Amino acid sequence: MANVLIFNICLVLMLSRVESCFIPKSLYIIVPDTIPAGYTITTVEVANCDTESMHLTLEDQRFTITSNRAIVAVTPVSVAPGGRTFSVWARDNSGLESEMVVHLVHSAIREKKPTGFLKRSKRRSPPPFNILENGKGPFPRNIEKIVSDSEAKHQVYYTITGPGVNQNPLELFSLNPGTGMLMVNGPIDREEFPWFILTIRVFDKLTNMETYLPLDIKVVVDDVNDNAPTFVDQLQFTVPEQSVAGTVVGKVNATDRDLAESLHTKIKYFLTTGLDLFAINSETGVITTATNTLDREAKDKHMVTVLIKDMDGAVNGLSTTGTATITVGDINDNN
């Protein structure tokens, strides 16, 4: 009986521990229409969680979570007229997972002003709509409603033309003719198609006459870190023998096909071999000598391994390695 009682007490304590760790179910945050790279959205608040074992993940690769639980934009992100949402999950040693839905809105959304994108009297270009490259299905997937509810009540239908519809790449986008809902029908490679300009037209159902001015909308394909950095030049350098420590050997040049001026293309440089003889500046890729004992007569070539990694060298960055050949040049040091 005593053993059963002890077990029940332990079970209650365990369940209490599991239920006491939580994050908010939802969070509404006012942000700029365009969120710049490096912008901190918010810090995830947790309560009674085992912070040592807790792991936070999010579904939108345009953002990352730092070690102090701050959600930071990795690339510039536009907030569409309808706002933007994504989920954050928290898990600790309890094994249970909690979800928080983050709603990003800007002041224009909170004021609930009708968009009316297609009205003649108030025609204006909406902010770009954003979709994530290499998006996973199921497809088709809704992107945004192009018209306001008031316009959708009229006896009209909508058409769409442009790249991604009736131009290459064909049938990537479609528009519900009755509701004006824009949809994407498959994954997109941002490096091949960084954006699309689509033209929306409105026609009267009875007369088939165009009733509103055409509207061009821009769909921006947001970057994910799907390209590892690559070397630009051959890794071949020459340095005179007996050069003093700190002598420049050469510069490693690298590039990355992902979005420029984002963490996805911020490259760090490392040497993984030859560290007794050479060093590399992690920011610039400049290789220097780490000794003054290079002797061509003893060894005229050194092979060192260079590693380049994006995401500013973070653990989750993509990397590439290459072998640099450093030839030791001769000086007149022998009788």
Side-chain angles (χ1 to χ4, degrees):
M1 183 64 181
N3 290 338
V4 172
L5 180 60
I6 292 173
F7 173 80
N8 287 338
I9 292 174
C10 291
L11 181 60
V12 169
L13 291 175
M14 290 174 63
L15 291 175
S16 298
R17 168 67 185 88
V18 170
E19 295 178 352
S20 63
C21 179
F22 67 92
I23 58 177
K25 294 295 184 183
S26 62
L27 193 62
Y28 287 82
I29 305 168
I30 300 176
V31 295
D33 292 358
T34 300
I35 303 171
Y39 184 93
T40 298
I41 303 300
T42 188
T43 299
V44 179
E45 299 293 336
V46 300
N48 300 324
C49 294
D50 180 5
T51 55
E52 294 296 326
S53 65
M54 185 178 63
H55 181 61
L56 295 172
T57 57
L58 52 78
E59 63 177 346
D60 195 329
Q61 297 185 47
R62 288 163 284 208
F63 303 94
T64 188
I65 299 182
T66 65
S67 58
N68 61 352
R69 304 193 303 277
I71 300 177
V72 180
V74 175
T75 65
V77 180
S78 296
V79 178
R84 179 186 293 277
T85 63
F86 59 87
S87 293
V88 177
W89 290 276
R91 179 193 293 268
D92 65 6
N93 280 338
S94 68
L96 295 181
E97 192 170 63
S98 300
E99 179 183 8
M100 175 177 71
V101 180
V102 178
H103 304 268
L104 303 181
V105 298
H106 48 76
S107 57
I109 298 173
R110 291 179 62 85
E111 293 169 6
K112 298 183 179 179
K113 295 179 179 179
T115 54
F117 292 144
L118 297 178
K119 289 183 178 179
R120 286 182 181 270
S121 59
K122 297 181 179 180
R123 186 179 185 274
R124 61 187 176 88
S125 296
F129 300 137
N130 294 72
I131 56 178
L132 194 64
E133 76 165 316
N134 301 328
K136 298 180 180 179
F139 295 106
R141 175 174 290 180
N142 292 344
I143 299 177
E144 191 72 34
K145 197 172 184 181
I146 303 301
V147 297
S148 67
D149 291 337
S150 62
E151 289 159 347
K153 293 177 182 178
H154 296 171
Q155 296 298 309
V156 298
Y157 63 90
Y158 307 92
T159 67
I160 183 174
T161 56
V165 183
N166 60 336
Q167 301 173 31
N168 184 54
L170 296 174
E171 300 181 350
L172 184 59
F173 299 101
S174 58
L175 188 72
N176 185 306
T179 65
M181 177 62 74
L182 179 65
M183 294 171 288
V184 60
N185 302 317
I188 305 172
D189 182 4
R190 187 205 69 87
E191 285 69 50
E192 187 174 3
F193 302 103
W195 67 78
F196 298 85
I197 302 295
L198 307 176
T199 300
I200 310 298
R201 287 184 166 85
V202 189
F203 296 86
D204 186 279
K205 286 184 178 180
L206 297 178
T207 65
N208 289 324
M209 298 292 291
E210 193 165 0
T211 58
Y212 294 94
L213 294 174
L215 178 72
D216 288 338
I217 63 170
K218 186 175 185 178
V219 178
V220 176
V221 183
D222 287 341
D223 189 42
V224 300
N225 192 29
D226 58 343
N227 291 281
T230 57
F231 296 101
V232 174
D233 306 310
Q234 291 186 338
L235 302 178
Q236 296 183 352
F237 309 101
T238 300
V239 63
E241 63 179 328
Q242 297 183 19
S243 293
V244 298
T247 299
V248 173
V249 175
K251 185 178 185 299
V252 176
N253 295 304
T255 187
D256 195 305
R257 295 183 66 234
D258 288 312
L259 182 64
E261 299 182 1
S262 72
L263 281 176
H264 294 168
T265 54
K266 187 170 178 56
I267 301 172
K268 281 288 183 70
Y269 302 82
F270 305 92
L271 292 184
T272 59
T273 62
L275 295 174
D276 56 329
L277 300 176
F278 305 99
I280 192 168
N281 185 302
S282 63
E283 299 286 342
T284 65
V286 172
I287 298 177
T288 56
T289 57
T291 178
N292 61 356
T293 61
L294 293 175
D295 186 350
R296 190 194 68 83
E297 284 71 37
K299 188 173 184 178
D300 64 349
K301 286 187 179 180
H302 297 272
M303 315 294 284
V304 298
T305 302
V306 182
L307 182 145
I308 51 177
K309 180 181 282 191
D310 61 20
M311 294 294 289
D312 202 23
V315 175
N316 61 336
L318 302 179
S319 63
T320 302
T321 59
T323 300
T325 301
I326 301 176
T327 300
V328 181
D330 188 31
I331 63 172
N332 187 20
D333 60 341
N334 292 288
N335 295 326

